[in-house]
Amino acid sequence: MGIVGGDLSVMVFLPAVGALVVLLMARGMTGALLKTALAFTLLTFLWSLRLLWRFDPALAGMQLVERYGWIPGFGIEYHVGVDGISLFLVLLTTLLGPIVILASWTISERIKEYLFFMLVLETGMLGAFVALDLFLFYVFWEVMLVPMYFLIGVWGGPRRIYAALKFVLYTMAGSLLMLIAIIYLAARHYEVAQTLTFDLLRIYQLSLPYEEQWWLFWAFALSFAIKVPLFPLHTWLPDAHVEAPTAGSVILAAILLKMGTYGFLRFAIPLFPEATLAAAPAISALAVIGIIYGALVAMMQADLKKLVAYSSVSHLGFVVLGLFVLNLQGMEGALYQMLNHGLSTGALFLIVGMIYERRHTRMIEDFGGLWRQLPVFSACFLVVTLSSIGLPGLNGFVGEFLILLGVFKNSPWWAAAAATGVVLGAVYMLWMFRRVVFGPLSRPENQKLKDVDLREMAILAPILALIVFMGVYPKPFLARMKASVAQVVERLDSKREALPLVVEGRKETGSKADGN
Amino acid sequence: MENLILLRFIPLIPLFGAGLNIFFGSRWGRKNAGLLACAAVGLSFLLSLWVIAALPEAGSLKDTVFIWIESEPFRADFSFRADALTVVMLLVVTGVGLLIHIYSLGYMGHDEGMIRYFAYLNLFVFFMLVLVMADNLLLLFVGWEGVGLCSYLLIGFWHHDHTNTIAGNKAFVVNRIGDFGFLLGILLLFWAMGRHGVWTLDLWELKASAHVLSPEQALLITLLLFFGATGKSAQIPLYVWLPDAMQGPTPVSALIHAATMVTAGVYMTARLYFLFSMAPVTLAVIATVGALTAFFAATIALAQNDIKRVLAYSTVSQLGYMFLAVGVGAFGAAIFHLFTHAFFKACLFLGAGSVIHSLEGEQDIRNMGGLRSYLPTTYWTYLIAALAISGAPLTAGFFSKDLILWQAFAGTRGSMWLWFLAWLTAGLTAFYMFRQFFLVFHGPCRVKESARAHIHESPRVMTMPLVLLAFGAVFAGWVGAPEFLWGSRWDRWLEPVFGGAVEPAHGEPFQELFLMGLTLAVAAVGFVLAYLGYGRAGRALESLRPAPGLSLLANKYYVDEIYDFVFVRPLTRSAGWLAGSFDPKFIDAIVNGVADRVRGSSLFWRRLQSGNVQHYLFGFLAGTLLILAYYLSQ
C-alpha cells in the first residue's frame, strides 16, 4: 500500500507536541495551561475524525499505513496503520482526550506536570493502537506506563504510592515476558527468512511449531491478562482505581484496560493460532469466573470507585470470553463491548468524580436522595447505569448480546454461566444506584449540593449521546469492524481444520456459520 | 404483506412526546406536559385505527426502519409488523393507555413530579408498542426489557421513600431473572434453526420454517421462553414482584401492572404459538403453572386488606387463566381474556385510585366503608367491573372466562383437573372481589371523622375514563360469544394468525351450557358468601377481626421469606465472604506475598521498589537492549 500520508502520525504526535508546549509555558498560568491542553486534545480528536472519512470499510487489511526505517541495524521500523480492529479504539482514545482534560479543570496542584503527563499518555495510547512493528508497539506500551504511574503516584489518594507501585510492578512483570517473546519472534523470523524485522505483518506469516507457540502465547497472554485484568490477576485494579485521580481512573478503565484485550486480538491470537485454540478453554474459564466473581465482589463494595472497578473485572470477563470463542459474533461483540465499556465505565468514573468533588467522599452510605437535589446529574447517572447493565436499546446490550450469541454457538453452558453475570449486573448496579440517588435526602451535607454545571454537561453529553446512538444504530461501527475481524476468524478456522485433535469438540459447529 | 411507512409512527410519537417533556417539560409546565403526553398517545390510537382499516385480508403490514444488528449470519432489523393479533394489542395499549393517560391528568394533577411522570408513561407506551409491533424476537426483547425499565421507574416514582424504590428494584431484578431464560431461549432458537440452515429471528420467517426443529429443541426453547414469561407476567415462581409493584401511582398499576405490560408474556407465547404447539410438554407445564397460579393467587387475595393488593393478586390470578388457555392450546381464548381483562381490571384499578384519591391516600379497606353515597360514579363503575371479573352473565369476563374454562375441560389438551382448579378460582374471584366491594362501598363508614368531610367524587377527567372502561367491561366480550349465542367474531378475526393451530374443543353444546351453569353457580356462591360476610349492615366490623386460620394467607404463604432465606441470603453471604475475605486476604495476599519475598531477598530489588520508576525503566530498557545485542551477535 505504501505511504498514504501522515494522517496517523500527526494524530499520534499532536498530544506530544502539546506536552512540549505545556512544558515551555510558565508554571503559574493555570488557566492558559488547561486551555492549551484542551486545545491540543480537541485538535487531535478533530484530526482523528479524518480517519473515519478516509477509512474504507470493505478492506480487511491495514489502511493509512506509514512506514519508515527507524533503527535499520535491528530491522526496527516506524510502521503504523489502522484496520477495523483499531479504528474505533483510536477514536475512543481521542474522544476521551478532551473529556479528561475538562474533568481535570479543578486540579490545582502541579497542573503543568499533570497536563504534561496526560498528553504524553495520550500519545502513548494512540501509538500502541496503531503500531504495526512489534518493537514500536513495545515502546509505546511502556510509554503509557510512566505517565500513569505518576498520575496515580502524585495526584492520587492517600495510598497512592502503594497503588502506583503495584500497578507498575504488575504491568512490568507481564511486559518483561512479552519483550522476551518479541525478541524471540524476531530472531526466529531471522532464522527462517534471513531478514531481521519486527514487522507484525511479516511475523504473522511465520508458522511456528505448536510447542514454541505455546510458550510465546502465554508470554504475551500473561502480559495482556494482567492488563485486562483477568481473574485472578485483577487485584492491582481496585487499588489503582481508588487512588487515581478522576481523569486517571477514566483513562485506566476506558483505554488502558483495552490494551490488554486489544493485545489479545492483535497479537496473541493471530500470531499463535494453534496455541490460541488450545488455550481458549482455560482462558474462557477464567473469563467466566471473572464475570461472576467480579459481579459478586462488586455487590458488596462500600466505596463507589471500588464497586465500579470490580464491575470492570466482570465486564472485561465478557470481552475476553467473546474474544476466545474465536468466531465472528463473539469477536465482533467483544470489540464492540470494548468501546461500550470504555464509554459507560469511563462515564461512571466521571460521575463518581463529580460527586467526590462536591462531597469529598466516595462512600455509598454518605449519599442518598440525590435526585431531589441533583435531578440532571441523577438522570445522566441513570442512563449510564442502564448502559452498564446492558439494557436493550443502549450500547451495552449490543455487545453483550453478540458475545453471548458467539459463546452460545460453541458452548451453551458457558453462555448460560456468563448470562448470570447479566442478572448480577442489574443487582449490584441498581442497588448502588438506589442507595446513592433514591431515598430521603437526610444528610445536611447533601442538601446544598449543586447540580451539574455547563462544563460537566459538556463532559457527559457526548458520552450519553454515544451510549444511545451505539445502542440504536450499531451498524456504522459493526460494518467497519467486520472485514478485519472476519480475517482473524478465517485464519483461525484454517488452522482449526489443520488441527483436528485440539478442536474436535467444536469442529462441527465451527465451520458452517463462520463463512461470510 | 404490504409496506406501510405509517407503522413506525405509532411507537415513535409517544417516544417523541417523552423526549419533548424530558427536555422542555419544565418550560411549558405541568399541565401542558400532561396534555402533550395525552395527545401523543391519542395520535397513536388514531393511527392504530387506521392500521385496522388498512390491514389486508388475512395479511400483515410491514415497515422496516433500518438494519439494527448484523453479524453474519445473524441479523435483526428495526422493523415493525402488524397483523390481526398486533392490532388487538395496539387497541389495548393505545386505547386503554389513552384513557389512563387522561385519568392521570386528574390523579397526578397536584404532584410536583408530574412532568417526569408523563415522560415515563409515554416512554412506557413506546416500549410496549415496540414489543407488540416488533417483527423479530430480538426487537421484541428490546420492548420487553424497556417496559421493565419503565415499570421500575414508575414503581419507584415517589423515590424519596425507600419502600417504593426497593419494590422497583425487586421488580427489575426478578424480571431480569426471567429474562435470563428468555435470552438463552432466543440464542438456542437462533442456533438450533441455523443448524437446519435457517438463519433468522424474524417472527414470520420463524413461523414458516419452525417445523425443522426437533421436538427436543422445541421443548427446551419454549421452556426457556416461558421462564421469561413467568417473570414478566408474574406467574409461579416469579410472581413475587407484582404485589410489591403496587407502590407505584395507581394509574401505573392500571396501565402497566394490569392491562398491558404484565400481559406481554401471554402475547409472546401467542405470537410464538407455532413453537409452543410443537412442544406438548411445555404446553402441559404452562397449563399447570397457569392453573396453579390462578388458584394460588386467588387464595392470597382472600385475606388482603390493601385495596390495591387485592387487585394485584387478582391480576396474577387472571394472568394464570390466560396461561391456562395458552397451555391447552387455546391461544385465541388467551388473547380474548387478555383483551377483556384490560378493560375490567383497568376499571377496577382506576376505581380504586378514585377511592384512594378521595380519601387522601388511604388504602386499607378496613378504614373505608359506606362510600357508595359519596362516590356514586366510582361505585357504579366499580360494581360493573367487579361483576365482569366475577363472570356475571353477559359481561366481558363472562365470555372470556367461560371460553377458557370450556377449553380447559373439553379441549384436546384439557383435563378435569385443570378445569376444576379454574372453576374453584372462579368462585374465589367472586368472593374476594365482593368482599372488597362491600367493605369499601357498603356498610357503615369507617373513615376517620377528620377525613370524612373531605370525601368527594373525583373530577370528570377521572370519572370519564371510568365510565368508558366500565362500558368496555360489559361490551368488550360480546365479540367473542359462544356459538350457541350469536357466535364469535373474535375467532374469525384471529383465524389468519393462529390458523389451524387450535383444534376446536369437542363437546356437546349441552355440556358447554351445563359447565357454564356450574361456573355461574360457584361465582354466585362466592358472591353470596361475600354478602353474608361483609355486605349486611352491622356484620362488617366484627367480620374484620383477624381469623386465625387465615394468617397463612394474609402472610402470602411466606413465599417472600422463603425466597429470602433460600436465595437472597446465601447469595449476599457468599458475596460478602468473597469481597471481605477471599479477595483481599487470599488472592491479593498471594501477590503481595510474592512481592514481599522478592523484596526481602535482595537489596537490588529493594532499591528497585524505592518508588523511583525511572531507575526501573532505565534498567529495563538497558536490559532489553543487552539481551537483544547478545542475541544478534550470535
PDB file of all heavy atoms in Angstrom, chain B residues 516-544:
ATOM      1  N   MET B 516     -71.175 -24.022  32.002  1.00  0.00           N
ATOM      2  CA  MET B 516     -71.394 -22.589  32.221  1.00  0.00           C
ATOM      3  C   MET B 516     -72.272 -22.378  33.440  1.00  0.00           C
ATOM      4  O   MET B 516     -72.014 -21.499  34.274  1.00  0.00           O
ATOM      5  CB  MET B 516     -72.055 -22.006  30.972  1.00  0.00           C
ATOM      6  CG  MET B 516     -72.105 -20.507  30.943  1.00  0.00           C
ATOM      7  SD  MET B 516     -72.878 -19.981  29.399  1.00  0.00           S
ATOM      8  CE  MET B 516     -71.495 -19.898  28.320  1.00  0.00           C
ATOM      9  N   GLY B 517     -73.276 -23.218  33.574  1.00  0.00           N
ATOM     10  CA  GLY B 517     -74.154 -23.134  34.744  1.00  0.00           C
ATOM     11  C   GLY B 517     -73.386 -23.389  36.026  1.00  0.00           C
ATOM     12  O   GLY B 517     -73.548 -22.671  37.026  1.00  0.00           O
ATOM     13  N   LEU B 518     -72.496 -24.388  35.979  1.00  0.00           N
ATOM     14  CA  LEU B 518     -71.703 -24.693  37.168  1.00  0.00           C
ATOM     15  C   LEU B 518     -70.833 -23.503  37.563  1.00  0.00           C
ATOM     16  O   LEU B 518     -70.706 -23.168  38.746  1.00  0.00           O
ATOM     17  CB  LEU B 518     -70.800 -25.896  36.904  1.00  0.00           C
ATOM     18  CG  LEU B 518     -71.445 -27.278  36.996  1.00  0.00           C
ATOM     19  CD1 LEU B 518     -70.393 -28.353  36.760  1.00  0.00           C
ATOM     20  CD2 LEU B 518     -72.090 -27.472  38.352  1.00  0.00           C
ATOM     21  N   THR B 519     -70.224 -22.867  36.547  1.00  0.00           N
ATOM     22  CA  THR B 519     -69.362 -21.717  36.832  1.00  0.00           C
ATOM     23  C   THR B 519     -70.171 -20.576  37.427  1.00  0.00           C
ATOM     24  O   THR B 519     -69.760 -19.948  38.415  1.00  0.00           O
ATOM     25  CB  THR B 519     -68.668 -21.238  35.544  1.00  0.00           C
ATOM     26  OG1 THR B 519     -68.139 -22.385  34.874  1.00  0.00           O
ATOM     27  CG2 THR B 519     -67.577 -20.268  35.847  1.00  0.00           C
ATOM     28  N   LEU B 520     -71.329 -20.333  36.834  1.00  0.00           N
ATOM     29  CA  LEU B 520     -72.181 -19.271  37.375  1.00  0.00           C
ATOM     30  C   LEU B 520     -72.573 -19.594  38.806  1.00  0.00           C
ATOM     31  O   LEU B 520     -72.595 -18.706  39.672  1.00  0.00           O
ATOM     32  CB  LEU B 520     -73.430 -19.119  36.506  1.00  0.00           C
ATOM     33  CG  LEU B 520     -73.235 -18.322  35.225  1.00  0.00           C
ATOM     34  CD1 LEU B 520     -74.503 -18.327  34.397  1.00  0.00           C
ATOM     35  CD2 LEU B 520     -72.823 -16.894  35.570  1.00  0.00           C
ATOM     36  N   ALA B 521     -72.840 -20.872  39.067  1.00  0.00           N
ATOM     37  CA  ALA B 521     -73.254 -21.259  40.413  1.00  0.00           C
ATOM     38  C   ALA B 521     -72.149 -20.992  41.420  1.00  0.00           C
ATOM     39  O   ALA B 521     -72.386 -20.422  42.489  1.00  0.00           O
ATOM     40  CB  ALA B 521     -73.639 -22.740  40.425  1.00  0.00           C
ATOM     41  N   VAL B 522     -70.905 -21.376  41.054  1.00  0.00           N
ATOM     42  CA  VAL B 522     -69.826 -21.206  42.032  1.00  0.00           C
ATOM     43  C   VAL B 522     -69.541 -19.724  42.250  1.00  0.00           C
ATOM     44  O   VAL B 522     -69.243 -19.288  43.372  1.00  0.00           O
ATOM     45  CB  VAL B 522     -68.562 -21.988  41.610  1.00  0.00           C
ATOM     46  CG1 VAL B 522     -67.792 -21.293  40.524  1.00  0.00           C
ATOM     47  CG2 VAL B 522     -67.662 -22.215  42.818  1.00  0.00           C
ATOM     48  N   ALA B 523     -69.671 -18.942  41.165  1.00  0.00           N
ATOM     49  CA  ALA B 523     -69.476 -17.498  41.331  1.00  0.00           C
ATOM     50  C   ALA B 523     -70.569 -16.922  42.220  1.00  0.00           C
ATOM     51  O   ALA B 523     -70.306 -16.069  43.090  1.00  0.00           O
ATOM     52  CB  ALA B 523     -69.478 -16.809  39.970  1.00  0.00           C
ATOM     53  N   ALA B 524     -71.803 -17.432  42.024  1.00  0.00           N
ATOM     54  CA  ALA B 524     -72.906 -16.937  42.853  1.00  0.00           C
ATOM     55  C   ALA B 524     -72.672 -17.283  44.307  1.00  0.00           C
ATOM     56  O   ALA B 524     -72.917 -16.473  45.215  1.00  0.00           O
ATOM     57  CB  ALA B 524     -74.224 -17.535  42.356  1.00  0.00           C
ATOM     58  N   VAL B 525     -72.138 -18.484  44.541  1.00  0.00           N
ATOM     59  CA  VAL B 525     -71.840 -18.869  45.930  1.00  0.00           C
ATOM     60  C   VAL B 525     -70.818 -17.903  46.518  1.00  0.00           C
ATOM     61  O   VAL B 525     -70.962 -17.426  47.647  1.00  0.00           O
ATOM     62  CB  VAL B 525     -71.330 -20.327  45.981  1.00  0.00           C
ATOM     63  CG1 VAL B 525     -70.744 -20.644  47.351  1.00  0.00           C
ATOM     64  CG2 VAL B 525     -72.452 -21.284  45.636  1.00  0.00           C
ATOM     65  N   GLY B 526     -69.795 -17.605  45.745  1.00  0.00           N
ATOM     66  CA  GLY B 526     -68.785 -16.662  46.215  1.00  0.00           C
ATOM     67  C   GLY B 526     -69.401 -15.316  46.544  1.00  0.00           C
ATOM     68  O   GLY B 526     -69.111 -14.719  47.593  1.00  0.00           O
ATOM     69  N   PHE B 527     -70.266 -14.873  45.654  1.00  0.00           N
ATOM     70  CA  PHE B 527     -70.929 -13.588  45.871  1.00  0.00           C
ATOM     71  C   PHE B 527     -71.766 -13.602  47.140  1.00  0.00           C
ATOM     72  O   PHE B 527     -71.694 -12.695  47.977  1.00  0.00           O
ATOM     73  CB  PHE B 527     -71.797 -13.270  44.646  1.00  0.00           C
ATOM     74  CG  PHE B 527     -72.640 -12.038  44.816  1.00  0.00           C
ATOM     75  CD1 PHE B 527     -72.097 -10.778  44.581  1.00  0.00           C
ATOM     76  CD2 PHE B 527     -73.967 -12.136  45.229  1.00  0.00           C
ATOM     77  CE1 PHE B 527     -72.869  -9.646  44.747  1.00  0.00           C
ATOM     78  CE2 PHE B 527     -74.737 -11.007  45.403  1.00  0.00           C
ATOM     79  CZ  PHE B 527     -74.194  -9.755  45.157  1.00  0.00           C
ATOM     80  N   VAL B 528     -72.560 -14.654  47.296  1.00  0.00           N
ATOM     81  CA  VAL B 528     -73.455 -14.726  48.455  1.00  0.00           C
ATOM     82  C   VAL B 528     -72.656 -14.782  49.739  1.00  0.00           C
ATOM     83  O   VAL B 528     -72.965 -14.093  50.720  1.00  0.00           O
ATOM     84  CB  VAL B 528     -74.386 -15.950  48.317  1.00  0.00           C
ATOM     85  CG1 VAL B 528     -75.130 -16.194  49.627  1.00  0.00           C
ATOM     86  CG2 VAL B 528     -75.361 -15.742  47.172  1.00  0.00           C
ATOM     87  N   LEU B 529     -71.587 -15.570  49.747  1.00  0.00           N
ATOM     88  CA  LEU B 529     -70.756 -15.649  50.949  1.00  0.00           C
ATOM     89  C   LEU B 529     -70.172 -14.292  51.284  1.00  0.00           C
ATOM     90  O   LEU B 529     -70.117 -13.893  52.451  1.00  0.00           O
ATOM     91  CB  LEU B 529     -69.636 -16.670  50.755  1.00  0.00           C
ATOM     92  CG  LEU B 529     -70.067 -18.133  50.816  1.00  0.00           C
ATOM     93  CD1 LEU B 529     -68.880 -19.049  50.537  1.00  0.00           C
ATOM     94  CD2 LEU B 529     -70.684 -18.462  52.179  1.00  0.00           C
ATOM     95  N   ALA B 530     -69.721 -13.595  50.248  1.00  0.00           N
ATOM     96  CA  ALA B 530     -69.165 -12.267  50.482  1.00  0.00           C
ATOM     97  C   ALA B 530     -70.239 -11.351  51.052  1.00  0.00           C
ATOM     98  O   ALA B 530     -69.985 -10.563  51.980  1.00  0.00           O
ATOM     99  CB  ALA B 530     -68.606 -11.684  49.181  1.00  0.00           C
ATOM    100  N   TYR B 531     -71.449 -11.476  50.526  1.00  0.00           N
ATOM    101  CA  TYR B 531     -72.526 -10.629  51.022  1.00  0.00           C
ATOM    102  C   TYR B 531     -72.838 -10.952  52.465  1.00  0.00           C
ATOM    103  O   TYR B 531     -72.947 -10.061  53.307  1.00  0.00           O
ATOM    104  CB  TYR B 531     -73.777 -10.820  50.157  1.00  0.00           C
ATOM    105  CG  TYR B 531     -74.958 -10.041  50.679  1.00  0.00           C
ATOM    106  CD1 TYR B 531     -74.995  -8.652  50.525  1.00  0.00           C
ATOM    107  CD2 TYR B 531     -75.993 -10.674  51.346  1.00  0.00           C
ATOM    108  CE1 TYR B 531     -76.045  -7.923  51.028  1.00  0.00           C
ATOM    109  CE2 TYR B 531     -77.051  -9.952  51.857  1.00  0.00           C
ATOM    110  CZ  TYR B 531     -77.079  -8.578  51.689  1.00  0.00           C
ATOM    111  OH  TYR B 531     -78.113  -7.857  52.203  1.00  0.00           O
ATOM    112  N   LEU B 532     -72.926 -12.258  52.753  1.00  0.00           N
ATOM    113  CA  LEU B 532     -73.237 -12.649  54.129  1.00  0.00           C
ATOM    114  C   LEU B 532     -72.136 -12.200  55.067  1.00  0.00           C
ATOM    115  O   LEU B 532     -72.383 -11.763  56.186  1.00  0.00           O
ATOM    116  CB  LEU B 532     -73.414 -14.172  54.218  1.00  0.00           C
ATOM    117  CG  LEU B 532     -74.629 -14.728  53.468  1.00  0.00           C
ATOM    118  CD1 LEU B 532     -74.645 -16.241  53.547  1.00  0.00           C
ATOM    119  CD2 LEU B 532     -75.921 -14.143  54.055  1.00  0.00           C
ATOM    120  N   GLY B 533     -70.924 -12.293  54.635  1.00  0.00           N
ATOM    121  CA  GLY B 533     -69.798 -11.948  55.494  1.00  0.00           C
ATOM    122  C   GLY B 533     -69.605 -10.456  55.646  1.00  0.00           C
ATOM    123  O   GLY B 533     -69.273  -9.972  56.723  1.00  0.00           O
ATOM    124  N   TYR B 534     -69.785  -9.718  54.586  1.00  0.00           N
ATOM    125  CA  TYR B 534     -69.388  -8.316  54.629  1.00  0.00           C
ATOM    126  C   TYR B 534     -70.451  -7.335  54.152  1.00  0.00           C
ATOM    127  O   TYR B 534     -70.312  -6.143  54.336  1.00  0.00           O
ATOM    128  CB  TYR B 534     -68.130  -8.120  53.759  1.00  0.00           C
ATOM    129  CG  TYR B 534     -67.024  -9.070  54.123  1.00  0.00           C
ATOM    130  CD1 TYR B 534     -66.852 -10.273  53.445  1.00  0.00           C
ATOM    131  CD2 TYR B 534     -66.164  -8.779  55.191  1.00  0.00           C
ATOM    132  CE1 TYR B 534     -65.852 -11.155  53.796  1.00  0.00           C
ATOM    133  CE2 TYR B 534     -65.158  -9.651  55.550  1.00  0.00           C
ATOM    134  CZ  TYR B 534     -65.006 -10.850  54.844  1.00  0.00           C
ATOM    135  OH  TYR B 534     -64.017 -11.710  55.195  1.00  0.00           O
ATOM    136  N   GLY B 535     -71.504  -7.835  53.512  1.00  0.00           N
ATOM    137  CA  GLY B 535     -72.432  -6.935  52.856  1.00  0.00           C
ATOM    138  C   GLY B 535     -73.562  -6.465  53.740  1.00  0.00           C
ATOM    139  O   GLY B 535     -74.120  -5.403  53.519  1.00  0.00           O
ATOM    140  N   ARG B 536     -73.918  -7.287  54.754  1.00  0.00           N
ATOM    141  CA  ARG B 536     -75.080  -6.911  55.544  1.00  0.00           C
ATOM    142  C   ARG B 536     -74.692  -5.883  56.587  1.00  0.00           C
ATOM    143  O   ARG B 536     -73.612  -5.933  57.171  1.00  0.00           O
ATOM    144  CB  ARG B 536     -75.665  -8.145  56.220  1.00  0.00           C
ATOM    145  CG  ARG B 536     -76.389  -9.037  55.223  1.00  0.00           C
ATOM    146  CD  ARG B 536     -76.961 -10.229  55.921  1.00  0.00           C
ATOM    147  NE  ARG B 536     -75.914 -11.000  56.583  1.00  0.00           N
ATOM    148  CZ  ARG B 536     -76.164 -11.962  57.455  1.00  0.00           C
ATOM    149  NH1 ARG B 536     -77.409 -12.248  57.800  1.00  0.00           N
ATOM    150  NH2 ARG B 536     -75.187 -12.628  58.014  1.00  0.00           N
ATOM    151  N   ALA B 537     -75.593  -4.984  56.781  1.00  0.00           N
ATOM    152  CA  ALA B 537     -75.329  -3.923  57.750  1.00  0.00           C
ATOM    153  C   ALA B 537     -75.027  -4.537  59.106  1.00  0.00           C
ATOM    154  O   ALA B 537     -75.659  -5.497  59.523  1.00  0.00           O
ATOM    155  CB  ALA B 537     -76.520  -2.988  57.839  1.00  0.00           C
ATOM    156  N   GLY B 538     -74.017  -4.002  59.774  1.00  0.00           N
ATOM    157  CA  GLY B 538     -73.719  -4.456  61.113  1.00  0.00           C
ATOM    158  C   GLY B 538     -72.793  -5.652  61.166  1.00  0.00           C
ATOM    159  O   GLY B 538     -72.214  -5.962  62.200  1.00  0.00           O
ATOM    160  N   ARG B 539     -72.626  -6.345  60.035  1.00  0.00           N
ATOM    161  CA  ARG B 539     -71.772  -7.524  60.038  1.00  0.00           C
ATOM    162  C   ARG B 539     -70.317  -7.151  59.774  1.00  0.00           C
ATOM    163  O   ARG B 539     -69.413  -7.868  60.208  1.00  0.00           O
ATOM    164  CB  ARG B 539     -72.225  -8.496  58.940  1.00  0.00           C
ATOM    165  CG  ARG B 539     -73.491  -9.230  59.246  1.00  0.00           C
ATOM    166  CD  ARG B 539     -73.223 -10.436  60.131  1.00  0.00           C
ATOM    167  NE  ARG B 539     -72.256 -11.334  59.483  1.00  0.00           N
ATOM    168  CZ  ARG B 539     -71.547 -12.235  60.150  1.00  0.00           C
ATOM    169  NH1 ARG B 539     -71.679 -12.334  61.460  1.00  0.00           N
ATOM    170  NH2 ARG B 539     -70.727 -13.027  59.512  1.00  0.00           N
ATOM    171  N   ALA B 540     -70.140  -6.074  59.088  1.00  0.00           N
ATOM    172  CA  ALA B 540     -68.825  -5.787  58.533  1.00  0.00           C
ATOM    173  C   ALA B 540     -67.739  -5.721  59.605  1.00  0.00           C
ATOM    174  O   ALA B 540     -66.702  -6.353  59.483  1.00  0.00           O
ATOM    175  CB  ALA B 540     -68.864  -4.488  57.753  1.00  0.00           C
ATOM    176  N   LEU B 541     -68.003  -4.986  60.675  1.00  0.00           N
ATOM    177  CA  LEU B 541     -66.940  -4.739  61.628  1.00  0.00           C
ATOM    178  C   LEU B 541     -66.451  -6.008  62.306  1.00  0.00           C
ATOM    179  O   LEU B 541     -65.267  -6.272  62.361  1.00  0.00           O
ATOM    180  CB  LEU B 541     -67.409  -3.737  62.677  1.00  0.00           C
ATOM    181  CG  LEU B 541     -67.143  -2.291  62.283  1.00  0.00           C
ATOM    182  CD1 LEU B 541     -67.631  -1.365  63.370  1.00  0.00           C
ATOM    183  CD2 LEU B 541     -65.656  -2.091  62.033  1.00  0.00           C
ATOM    184  N   GLU B 542     -67.419  -6.812  62.793  1.00  0.00           N
ATOM    185  CA  GLU B 542     -66.965  -7.981  63.528  1.00  0.00           C
ATOM    186  C   GLU B 542     -66.265  -8.991  62.612  1.00  0.00           C
ATOM    187  O   GLU B 542     -65.359  -9.689  63.034  1.00  0.00           O
ATOM    188  CB  GLU B 542     -68.140  -8.650  64.252  1.00  0.00           C
ATOM    189  CG  GLU B 542     -69.254  -9.071  63.332  1.00  0.00           C
ATOM    190  CD  GLU B 542     -70.493  -9.483  64.125  1.00  0.00           C
ATOM    191  OE1 GLU B 542     -71.311  -8.602  64.467  1.00  0.00           O
ATOM    192  OE2 GLU B 542     -70.595 -10.674  64.401  1.00  0.00           O
ATOM    193  N   SER B 543     -66.672  -9.004  61.345  1.00  0.00           N
ATOM    194  CA  SER B 543     -66.037  -9.956  60.448  1.00  0.00           C
ATOM    195  C   SER B 543     -64.623  -9.527  60.074  1.00  0.00           C
ATOM    196  O   SER B 543     -63.909 -10.264  59.427  1.00  0.00           O
ATOM    197  CB  SER B 543     -66.873 -10.118  59.179  1.00  0.00           C
ATOM    198  OG  SER B 543     -66.989  -8.862  58.555  1.00  0.00           O
ATOM    199  N   LEU B 544     -64.229  -8.341  60.493  1.00  0.00           N
ATOM    200  CA  LEU B 544     -62.881  -7.903  60.158  1.00  0.00           C
ATOM    201  C   LEU B 544     -61.853  -8.344  61.183  1.00  0.00           C
ATOM    202  O   LEU B 544     -60.671  -8.120  61.000  1.00  0.00           O
ATOM    203  CB  LEU B 544     -62.846  -6.382  60.019  1.00  0.00           C
ATOM    204  CG  LEU B 544     -63.370  -5.925  58.672  1.00  0.00           C
ATOM    205  CD1 LEU B 544     -63.468  -4.439  58.614  1.00  0.00           C
ATOM    206  CD2 LEU B 544     -62.502  -6.469  57.560  1.00  0.00           C
TER     207      LEU B 544
END
